[in-house]
Amino acid sequence: MQYNSFFSIFVLIINLEHKFMKDFFKMMLASALGFIIASFIFSFISMLIMFAMMGSMMSSFGKQESFVLQNNSVLNLKFEGTIQERVAESDPFTELIGGVSSSVGLNDIIGAIRKAKNNDKIKGIYLDTRIFAASNATLAEIRQELEDFKESGKFIVAYSDNYMQNGYYLASVADKVAINPEGMLDIHGLASTPIFYKDALQKLGVEMQLFKVGTYKSFAEPYTQTEMSPANKEQVRSYINDIWAFVKNDMAKGRNMEPAQIDSIANQFPMLKKTDFLLAQNLVDTVVYETEMKNYLRELIGIESDAKIPSATISDMKSVKTQIIKKSTNSIALLYASGDIISGTGSSGIQDKYMVNEIEKLRQDNDIKAVVFRINSGGGSAYASEQIWKAISDLKEEKPVVVSMGDVAASGGYYIAANADKIVAQPTTVTGSIGIFGMFPNFSGTLDKLGIDTDVVKTNEFSDFGNISRAFNAQEAAMMQSYVDNGYDLFLTRCADGRGMPKDSLAKYAQGRVWTGNQAKEIGLVDELGGIDEAIRIAADLANLGKSYAVFEYPRMKSPFEEIFNKNKEELAAKALKSYLGESYNMFMFLKNIKDQDYIQARIPYDLNIN
């Protein structure tokens, strides 16, 4: 009986195994078939996406090439998103991960205005300023170009539902400024509102150990203090007042007013006033709806009231043909350097190895007779700044180098500029900040809160130097401060030699202090005030090129095909993040890259928070 039961159980197990094996093979075959089918479907879908992307790209190319500028056209300058130095051509991938790029290149804006000035088919500019982000130096560059445009005798009219302060600064140059009857106009002046994290870090048990040179060097203050230092308040008050003086003077000049009137209006906060107030204060010329403004445009260009207004956008103007310029033996290189200065390689910013290689190629190119080094950087790695300084010094020995400062060229950004033959800045450029610092986190408090202990066994006295689980001891702190002092002395020496100033004289304007371009010219840190054009003109004079030369931009921007097929995962992630985070992207990347950055930095705050 027991035997039969055992046999029955054994047979049952065999049957179950047999059934299991049958089911297993079924599942395995089904899974394999499913995998093959899924792979085929995935490949098919990927191929469709790729063809769609390529089709979209070819379509966009076709659109750009097929654009034909009509007679009696208007250049529609519509400002939205963020204005950057240069922006790569949009590609279909951008649309897949985050929609249409919200950035526009300053070079594309300037190029569109110049083409419009010299093209008889364009009769004027329709300025449509929305909510957009741009620094005061960038705005000054655009405004100057608009003023030059008016010399052609063509009109500029501005219209908006809501003028933000930066948009109104540009609109004030127009022949006629119009606003919607229910619109708003904002003039409020400038303010700097830094955020401080010291107390938040203390609650987490984190102490930031700071070693710096420069009374005014303020980058680390948000991490080590709860308010601005008196020295920092002094410098911020100085430079924002100087920037505001230029902004309000330009607005007042455009509206035939006195600068004091702009201050008076700002103190009344016109954003919350009715349009009657705006008219009475001469801030606008007329209050109309957009349909009425379009009818006014039709009158200006002489077309029927129901006719479509021929227009061209900034993007359209890229395909408007001009005289083809070929590289010749008399060429000037316009070399762009934008973002944080970092050591090694990366997907953004100014990488020292990449930038040095670009500079070296320009040095060896016999057709390049001069270089305009366009800098837009608040600094970064002191080591990387030194490497780029050396490359510029080598380049300067063979051909003229003129620096054109953009929105900011301070700290490490000034370091790499100091040795140029000439330095040109906008009056509202932020520059200087000659000083360095080192900042090291101490997480011992965090470990205490978590109940975590550490120990160490070492072969030498400084084997665990920089251990984040403890604070620096007195000897280590003294060594770090000495190292930072030496770095500052080298920075000061580079700037003094580059500017041809005694070191002790330059030291009075250093100490990490920030200056506007206007102030920097008065104390000898800058040679001339102006934009890229002025820098190019000076470079041509230094190279004895007269007016016979061509200008080419470097580094070469990637084509849309390269953007799609040569991306690494970091670049793809960066593009997606930038699309979704907007202006917060720079702060996010700064925090992300802290672990990869050199401990010794020559930089100003990542964002001056001027608004």
Side-chain angles (χ1 to χ4, degrees), residues 522-571:
E522 293 177 357
I523 61 178
L525 296 183
V526 163
D527 296 297
E528 301 291 342
L529 298 179
I532 294 176
D533 261 9
E534 178 65 10
I536 292 172
R537 184 193 65 76
I538 293 173
D541 286 346
L542 291 176
N544 298 315
L545 298 181
K547 295 185 178 180
S548 177
Y549 58 87
V551 179
F552 295 92
E553 294 184 352
Y554 297 87
R556 183 180 65 84
M557 298 290 280
K558 291 180 180 178
S559 71
F561 278 109
E562 291 172 310
E563 287 288 324
I564 292 175
F565 293 111
N566 293 325
K567 289 185 185 300
N568 58 45
K569 64 178 181 180
E570 186 178 355
E571 289 174 324

Side-chain angles (χ1 to χ4, degrees), residues 97-249:
I97 64 172
V100 178
S101 173
S102 61
S103 299
V104 61
L106 175 62
N107 59 338
D108 292 330
I109 295 171
I110 299 300
I113 296 172
R114 290 183 184 173
K115 286 181 180 180
K117 177 182 178 181
N118 298 315
N119 195 306
D120 293 336
K121 291 184 177 180
I122 291 185
K123 303 303 179 184
I125 289 176
Y126 181 69
L127 191 57
D128 182 3
T129 61
R130 310 287 177 99
I131 297 177
F132 69 98
S135 78
N136 290 293
T138 292
L139 294 171
E141 196 106 20
I142 298 171
R143 197 177 193 280
Q144 181 60 57
E145 205 64 39
L146 290 172
E147 289 179 344
D148 291 344
F149 175 87
K150 290 177 71 174
E151 294 177 1
S152 65
K154 299 179 181 182
F155 66 81
I156 299 179
V157 295
Y159 180 85
S160 184
D161 296 329
N162 300 296
Y163 287 103
M164 297 298 100
Q165 183 166 274
N166 54 3
Y168 185 72
Y169 174 73
L170 295 179
S172 63
V173 78
D175 303 299
K176 183 180 285 291
V177 179
I179 192 170
N180 186 285
E182 299 302 318
M184 295 188 299
L185 191 153
D186 179 28
I187 298 177
H188 59 265
L190 301 179
S192 178
T193 54
I195 299 174
F196 295 87
Y197 312 102
K198 180 184 177 182
D199 288 348
L201 291 172
Q202 281 184 341
K203 289 179 180 179
L204 297 172
V206 181
E207 174 200 10
M208 299 304 291
Q209 303 171 97
L210 177 64
F211 306 91
K212 72 168 186 173
V213 179
T215 305
Y216 297 92
K217 199 68 180 175
S218 61
F219 180 88
E221 284 190 359
Y223 308 98
T224 60
Q225 298 182 192
T226 56
E227 61 182 9
M228 298 169 74
S229 66
N232 191 21
K233 276 193 174 180
E234 175 194 346
Q235 71 170 346
V236 172
R237 184 179 296 111
S238 175
Y239 69 68
I240 68 171
N241 281 331
D242 198 53
I243 291 172
W244 177 241
F246 276 89
V247 171
K248 71 181 179 183
N249 287 346

